């Protein structure tokens, strides 16, 4: 469904190449983990897929095809409903996903095509149940709040719930459990697992090997803007070819032992 080929992202001002030679595919009902340390280019790669890179700041080369249609750069030909219903992303920084001056309920509603009172009341019923799935049990309070009246973790969970309601063909989840508490992380991972079982394609961006091991069919390991290793999750984690992957795996196991 998604084919990224030789993606290169350069910062216009410094001419620094931030992402290079990145190629991977995500098939139908497949979950790919994009893993690697902070600053390795995972978010930029995800944003390129979502067409969220500011063209004045970044230049891109290569190709990103969604269902055989080119969606990158000058040749981009975005299919109708591409963002949202076809590909949706849970971003790392939830504050940027919401407009600060509009109450949450109103702006969430705007993302859906609601005609008539019945559609609206059905919608809020669905929203209530989606919010409960990510451990948010007071919909009334949330829909009447402005974004900065909620914590970052709560806002992130609102974004996750809304994205799940959109039921995109491909979901990109960028570090979607970093800002949330353990109980909520547990629930979010369970929901992602359920979506995966239901056949949604996903890109799970994470620096947490435990999350990747649990959710991903395949993983691509990024370092300094490049994918240095990719393959079946089990194979990559049990017999990593690159020293960097070994170090990351080792570090995350040590970390988990520390916590336990
Ligand atoms: N707006 C920007 N201008 C210049 N460099 C940037 C910008 N945004 C990100 N970068 C750089 O690009 C690299 C990759 O960033 P990013 O994709 O956010 O990493 P990751 O998500 O893997 O932590 C980092 O070195 C970061 O400093
Ligand atoms: Mg990131």
């Amino acid at each position: 469904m998604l084919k990224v080929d030789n993606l290169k992202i350069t910062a216009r001002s410094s001419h620094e190449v931030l992402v290079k030679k990145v190629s991977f595919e995500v098939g139908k009902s497949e979950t790919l983990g994009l893993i690697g340390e902070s600053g390795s280019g995972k978010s930029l790669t995800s944003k390129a897929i979502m067409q969220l890179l500011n063209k004045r700041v970044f230049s891109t080369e290569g190709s990103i095809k969604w269902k055989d249609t080119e969606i990158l750069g000058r040749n981009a030909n975005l299919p109708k409903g591409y963002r949202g219903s076809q590909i949706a992303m849970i971003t790392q920084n939830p504050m940027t996903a919401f407009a600060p001056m509009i109450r949450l309920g109103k702006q969430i509603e705007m993302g859906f095509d609601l005609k008539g009172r019945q559609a609206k009341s059905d919608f809020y019923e669905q929203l209530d149940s989606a919010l409960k799935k990510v451990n948010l049990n007071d919909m009334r309070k949330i829909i009447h709040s402005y974004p900065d009246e909620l914590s970052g973790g709560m806002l992130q969970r609102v974004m996750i719930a809304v994205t799940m309601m959109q039921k995109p063909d491909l979901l990109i989840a960028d570090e979607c459990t970093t800002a949330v508490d353990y109980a909520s992380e547990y629930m979010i991972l369970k929901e992602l697992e359920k979506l995966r079982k239901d056949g949604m394609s996903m890109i799970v961006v994470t620096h947490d090997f435990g999350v990747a091991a649990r959710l991903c069919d395949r993983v691509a390991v990024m370092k300094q803007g490049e994918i240095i290793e990719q393959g079946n999750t089990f194979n990559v984690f049990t017999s990593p070819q690159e020293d960097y992957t070994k170090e990351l795996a080792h570090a995350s196991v040590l970390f988990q032992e520390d916590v336990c």
Side-chain angles (χ1 to χ4, degrees):
M1 298 225 292
L2 181 80
K3 192 168 192 293
V4 178
D5 202 11
N6 243 321
L7 175 67
K8 183 174 173 186
I9 304 174
T10 310
R12 287 193 192 276
S13 59
S14 61
H15 301 287
E16 195 184 346
V17 179
L18 302 168
V19 167
K20 54 183 175 284
K21 293 188 223 153
V22 161
S23 301
F24 59 83
E25 286 182 45
V26 184
K28 197 164 166 41
S29 308
E30 190 176 43
T31 300
L32 173 77
L34 212 51
I35 59 180
E37 65 187 4
S38 174
S40 55
K42 307 179 300 292
S43 292
L44 287 181
T45 302
S46 308
K47 285 181 189 161
I49 297 168
M50 283 303 288
Q51 296 264 324
L52 289 176
L53 291 179
N54 185 337
K55 287 195 176 76
R56 273 176 287 184
V57 179
F58 303 101
S59 69
T60 54
E61 286 168 49
S63 156
I64 300 178
K65 282 192 174 143
W66 170 247
K67 295 179 178 168
D68 297 323
T69 303
E70 182 60 52
I71 55 169
L72 186 72
R74 260 186 300 177
N75 301 325
N77 183 11
L78 287 190
K80 194 168 179 294
Y82 169 74
R83 224 182 282 152
S85 69
Q86 299 202 24
I87 304 189
M89 178 168 168
I90 303 165
T91 56
Q92 208 169 354
N93 181 357
M95 284 296 178
T96 58
F98 294 101
M101 308 295 273
I102 309 173
R103 285 184 209 276
L104 281 165
K106 178 126 190 98
Q107 53 181 312
I108 293 168
E109 259 186 43
M110 290 182 331
F112 294 79
D113 187 22
L114 302 176
K115 291 199 182 79
R117 273 177 52 185
Q118 187 59 39
K120 220 166 169 167
S121 90
D122 290 350
F123 168 78
Y124 277 105
E125 217 169 277
Q126 283 172 27
L127 181 63
D128 188 35
S129 98
L131 289 170
K132 287 197 172 110
K133 286 179 186 163
V134 292
N135 207 16
L136 292 170
N137 298 306
D138 191 350
M139 178 179 80
R140 294 221 145 268
K141 187 164 167 233
I142 288 169
I143 60 180
H144 290 113
S145 300
Y146 291 99
D148 61 8
E149 290 175 321
L150 301 185
S151 72
M154 284 174 85
L155 213 50
Q156 191 159 34
R157 282 181 279 149
V158 172
M159 180 163 55
I160 293 170
V162 173
T163 310
M164 285 172 177
M165 281 173 73
Q166 290 173 321
K167 293 201 174 71
D169 297 336
L170 173 70
L171 173 68
I172 304 177
D174 188 359
E175 307 274 10
C176 70
T177 59
T178 24
V180 304
D181 59 279
Y182 280 114
S184 304
E185 173 173 17
Y186 176 80
M187 292 178 78
I188 292 166
L189 292 178
K190 259 183 105 160
E191 280 314 305
L192 290 176
E193 260 177 345
K194 221 186 279 169
L195 293 174
R196 179 187 175 199
K197 277 202 193 99
D198 291 346
M200 188 182 283
S201 303
M202 289 196 272
I203 297 178
V204 175
V205 179
T206 181
H207 61 267
D208 185 332
F209 271 45
V211 169
R214 189 164 155 190
L215 288 174
C216 304
D217 303 301
R218 282 189 305 115
V219 288
V221 183
M222 287 192 77
K223 181 189 180 189
Q224 292 171 355
E226 281 185 75
I227 291 181
I228 54 161
E229 175 162 14
Q230 65 176 308
N232 171 288
T233 307
F234 183 79
N235 294 344
V236 172
F237 284 0
T238 52
S239 46
Q241 299 300 306
E242 298 288 330
D243 287 345
Y244 177 74
T245 315
K246 281 181 207 160
E247 275 165 34
L248 276 182
H250 191 60
S252 75
V253 169
L254 286 180
F255 175 70
Q256 280 164 16
E257 279 171 357
D258 268 1
V259 180
C260 293

